[in-house]
Amino acid sequence: MSRQRLFGFRTLKWLSEDFLPRVESYEAANYAYFLSCHIVGMILEASFDLVPNENRKPEFRSKGFGMRWVSENILATHAESGYLRCNDGTEATKYLHIAKVIELAELLYNLQTVPGIQAIYRRVIEDPPGLEATILELEGLRLIWFTKLGFRIVHSGAGRQLNYECEIYLPSGVTAYCEMKCKLETQEFSATTIKNTLDIARAQLPKGGCGVVILKVPSSWFNSPDTSASLDLAVEQVLRNTTRISEVVLYDRMLFEGAEYLFYVGSIRETLNQRSPCAAALDGGIFRKTPPPSLNPEHWLLFSTLTEDILQQLLEVELNQPQRWG
């Protein structure tokens, strides 16, 4: 799959022409964190470039508001959203904070070519209290990206008075209509809540189509045998009563501390609805044939591994192939 970069300023060259950090002797994680703070601010501000200035709120009209957002929501100790709030000084919260910021920068940078993504980026700035849910939506898009299937974000259900998130173009020629939901890490498991969430998602999908629901759940729900079994049962009970949902995808995410870097890894669990006439078009599941996430920067640039030297090497590659991304 080849993707054209939208709006040429969102490239490593564009970033390097501003104020990328040039700091010697930083450990890899610290350099990636410092770099990520700058990239988050720059890309979020750039996401407003297509919005006429007179239609913007006053606080989003002046240059530099992206970095002010970083200062207020990442570096401040009392940010409006607690999700990215600066750590409280303990080792555990320090690493969690660093990992979340690096992940946000990675998502913003790599998903820029997805049609319609700018509206989600603007929501990051405009709705700080809903930041965690927005980031989880971006993470769901990352999962789809790794399938190498074409997709686009759809706002307001493409005029169908529906409200699904995106359309995925399957190899069979069928379009899958995808709705994303999430359960935050602090939520307790409830089979009733799962059923209600899936029922709401079902109503947001078109009748007679290939509907897919991607639901992020807390890692603890997967890790407990009792909860895991109850989760599967709740999904099966919903699918017995609908053909509008062709597949339910459950996934979790967790923090893993490697020798040098911090990664978010997770499990994906797919359940096909054999009652749906579109189930066969999914060929066993959207993610069944997904290869492990590629570390090839031409497909997905992994920010946790970035150092100044690596960044300069990637910049040289990009200058030789400025329009390719895929």
Side-chain angles (χ1 to χ4, degrees), residues 37-205:
C37 287
H38 287 285
I39 287 177
V40 167
M42 294 168 68
I43 290 182
L44 288 180
E45 183 167 329
S47 71
F48 283 80
D49 284 359
L50 297 182
V51 179
N53 197 57
E54 62 272 14
N55 293 332
R56 300 188 202 177
K57 295 179 180 179
E59 60 266 35
F60 304 139
R61 293 179 184 175
S62 60
K63 184 173 176 58
F65 69 82
M67 292 310 300
R68 287 198 301 274
W69 185 92
V70 168
S71 177
E72 294 169 1
N73 292 277
I74 292 180
L75 304 178
T77 56
H78 299 290
E80 188 172 356
S81 168
Y83 181 75
L84 291 178
R85 186 176 299 151
C86 195
N87 72 86
D88 60 10
T90 65
E91 199 73 3
T93 58
K94 170 187 174 182
Y95 285 124
L96 184 59
H97 169 74
I98 289 173
K100 287 178 177 179
V101 173
I102 291 175
E103 180 189 46
L104 176 58
E106 182 178 308
L107 290 168
L108 295 178
Y109 183 82
N110 286 289
L111 292 174
Q112 292 172 84
T113 58
V114 177
I117 196 70
Q118 284 73 27
I120 297 180
Y121 287 2
R122 291 193 285 270
R123 197 195 313 153
V124 171
I125 283 189
E126 294 172 329
D127 183 24
L131 181 60
E132 183 173 1
T134 301
I135 290 175
L136 291 173
E137 183 178 341
L138 292 172
E139 188 175 74
L141 295 174
R142 173 171 59 184
L143 292 178
I144 299 172
W145 178 283
F146 285 151
T147 67
K148 297 191 176 181
L149 297 174
F151 68 99
R152 72 182 181 108
I153 294 169
V154 178
H155 302 290
S156 301
R160 303 179 188 208
Q161 296 182 333
L162 299 170
N163 194 29
Y164 55 87
E165 256 86 26
C166 68
E167 294 178 350
I168 306 170
Y169 309 118
L170 304 176
S172 61
V174 172
T175 297
Y177 306 97
C178 181
E179 171 63 14
M180 297 183 194
K181 300 292 184 184
C182 72
K183 298 299 175 185
L184 305 183
E185 288 296 324
T186 54
Q187 290 183 270
E188 296 291 332
F189 174 77
S190 165
T192 300
T193 298
I194 293 298
K195 293 177 185 177
N196 290 341
T197 299
L198 293 178
D199 281 337
I200 292 171
R202 176 190 57 78
Q204 295 173 257
L205 298 169

Side-chain angles (χ1 to χ4, degrees), residues 189-257:
F189 174 77
S190 165
T192 300
T193 298
I194 293 298
K195 293 177 185 177
N196 290 341
T197 299
L198 293 178
D199 281 337
I200 292 171
R202 176 190 57 78
Q204 295 173 257
L205 298 169
K207 293 181 179 179
C210 183
V212 176
V213 180
I214 298 180
L215 173 61
K216 180 266 173 187
V217 298
S219 298
S220 59
W221 294 12
F222 272 169
N223 295 337
S224 166
D226 292 339
T227 301
S228 181
S230 298
L231 181 59
D232 289 338
L233 180 60
V235 171
E236 291 171 4
Q237 288 174 341
V238 171
L239 294 183
R240 288 182 198 143
N241 299 305
T242 183
T243 59
R244 198 181 298 195
I245 300 177
S246 302
E247 177 180 17
V248 173
V249 180
L250 304 176
Y251 78 96
D252 72 333
R253 64 207 290 258
M254 58 187 297
L255 191 63
F256 171 73
E257 185 174 352

Side-chain angles (χ1 to χ4, degrees), residues 49 277 288 324:
D49 284 359
R288 185 175 68 87
R324 296 286 293 179

